[in-house]
Amino acid sequence: MKLATIKNGTRDGRLVIVSRDLSKAVLATGIAATLQNALENWDELEPLLQEKYDALNTGKEKEAFAFDPTEAMSPLPRTYQWADASSFLNHGALMEQAFDLDIKKDANVPIIYQGAGDDFLGPYDPYPVPGEEHLIDFEGEIAVILDDVPMGIQADAAKQHIKLFMLLNDVSLRAHLFKEVSIGFGPLRAKPSTVFAPVAVTPDELGDAWQDGRVKLDMHVECNGQLFGHPNGAEMDFSFPELVMHLARTRNLKVGTILGSGTFSNKNYKEVGSACLAEKRAIEIIETGEAKTEFLKFGDRLKFEMKGLDGNSIFGAIDHQFVDAQVN
């Protein structure tokens, strides 16, 4: 099943069900007004949403209309908790080698930071930044949306709490990141609003690509119309169930919690490229002694998309441009 939130002038938008091919949608009228409402009553409402989804895909839904992704908000426009991992250890290893970082980490324990869940942006929304001097970067990732997860859950039981998947660009402002991380707490100013693709999907929509707690598909990243990279999610060193277990070690996770994978990164980066500028710059430093790739400028456009094993887009695309926030 595929779900989206369209703009209606409110903070939380209006929940719609989207067809598998992303061409049609129908309002979830009489079922749930918002995605958060649907999640909080998932056991009761999921069969009703699925019934409409099936009707939409077979052309039997009389209230269907053309789905316009430019009118989409983030599928979950705001959440009570947004946490993001760094589960591709290759990414961290490249950064540490290039920038001589001394990160006190344990290879058996995932790194997760607490992000800001109050101001997500939609897939086609202009992205405002207060200045290019903040060194604008992007990070292509996958995230899961959870239902209520009890404290102390183990990985083998955590998988059942994953209800939806989303595609995202976790924007980073590199002028702040190293300094904030070196202090010992997680990043704050370095992590502004996160951008999500238009559609959230249930695990079955991923088919056989959802294996071993990982989404084993390519992350297609374009910058200004040029392919930047297509790393695959199979190389996650920590699976999503393991990440959920770690996050819930000492706390309950409430329904609607979003948990990200961290930047997609593969060991064969020479063939598949990267999903963020900082990694590409790190590779350039390692190989040539100098970073040549520039950070983003105002007017630069990014596109992120993930296609299924059948070659069709799963989440729709993020396609957005960075603009001057004109902060006085």
Side-chain angles (χ1 to χ4, degrees), residues 136-204:
I136 310 163
D137 198 357
F138 55 85
E139 299 187 47
E141 306 184 20
I142 286 288
V144 295
I145 305 179
L146 307 173
D147 64 5
D148 287 319
V149 180
M151 179 169 48
I153 195 168
Q154 297 301 300
D156 57 355
K159 186 176 181 180
Q160 68 185 13
H161 293 281
I162 296 173
K163 298 305 176 186
L164 295 167
F165 288 84
M166 295 190 293
L167 176 72
L168 66 120
N169 174 16
D170 181 44
V171 176
S172 293
L173 301 179
R174 297 292 175 181
H176 306 286
L177 189 58
F178 287 162
K179 180 177 180 180
E180 291 187 325
V181 171
S182 69
I183 292 171
F185 276 13
L188 180 67
R189 288 186 297 177
K191 290 295 185 178
S193 299
T194 305
V195 183
F196 291 87
V199 171
V201 309
T202 49
D204 60 290

Side-chain angles (χ1 to χ4, degrees), residues 51-294:
E51 184 178 357
K52 272 191 170 291
Y53 181 62
D54 293 341
L56 189 62
N57 286 318
T58 56
K60 298 177 181 178
E61 178 52 61
K62 296 180 180 180
E63 303 298 325
F65 56 88
F67 178 60
D68 181 359
T70 67
E71 289 299 311
M73 304 172 74
S74 164
L76 199 58
R78 53 179 175 167
T79 187
Y80 296 105
Q81 181 166 218
W82 154 233
D84 198 16
S86 183
S87 61
F88 292 82
L89 297 185
N90 181 69
H91 173 73
L94 289 171
M95 300 293 283
E96 290 169 38
Q97 181 181 350
F99 300 107
D100 194 26
L101 301 177
D102 181 19
I103 306 296
K104 298 177 177 62
K105 65 180 187 302
D106 184 334
N108 297 312
V109 178
I111 297 172
I112 301 179
Y113 79 88
Q114 196 83 43
D118 57 333
D119 187 35
F120 295 147
L121 296 181
Y124 287 80
D125 294 341
Y127 196 107
V129 181
E132 293 176 346
E133 69 274 12
H134 294 275
L135 305 183
I136 310 163
D137 198 357
F138 55 85
E139 299 187 47
E141 306 184 20
I142 286 288
V144 295
I145 305 179
L146 307 173
D147 64 5
D148 287 319
V149 180
M151 179 169 48
I153 195 168
Q154 297 301 300
D156 57 355
K159 186 176 181 180
Q160 68 185 13
H161 293 281
I162 296 173
K163 298 305 176 186
L164 295 167
F165 288 84
M166 295 190 293
L167 176 72
L168 66 120
N169 174 16
D170 181 44
V171 176
S172 293
L173 301 179
R174 297 292 175 181
H176 306 286
L177 189 58
F178 287 162
K179 180 177 180 180
E180 291 187 325
V181 171
S182 69
I183 292 171
F185 276 13
L188 180 67
R189 288 186 297 177
K191 290 295 185 178
S193 299
T194 305
V195 183
F196 291 87
V199 171
V201 309
T202 49
D204 60 290
E205 293 292 334
L206 300 173
D208 291 338
W210 172 231
Q211 290 184 22
D212 306 320
R214 295 161 174 84
V215 179
K216 299 183 178 183
L217 293 170
D218 288 351
M219 171 80 63
H220 296 273
V221 184
E222 294 182 10
C223 184
N224 294 323
Q226 300 296 314
L227 179 65
F228 187 85
H230 55 95
N232 193 282
E235 288 189 30
M236 278 179 73
D237 291 275
F238 299 98
S239 70
F240 272 114
E242 289 171 329
L243 295 176
V244 173
M245 178 180 71
H246 181 72
L247 187 60
R249 181 74 71 187
T250 59
R251 64 171 83 173
N252 296 309
L253 309 179
K254 296 304 181 183
V255 60
T257 291
I258 301 174
L259 176 58
S261 64
T263 308
F264 272 41
S265 179
N266 292 171
K267 294 180 178 64
N268 63 331
Y269 52 80
K270 290 185 179 180
E271 289 77 35
V272 303
S274 300
C276 82
L277 290 169
E279 180 172 300
K280 185 174 182 179
R281 288 169 58 86
I283 293 167
E284 291 169 344
I285 291 172
I286 293 168
E287 294 183 347
T288 70
E290 179 185 4
K292 299 178 181 179
T293 298
E294 295 184 348

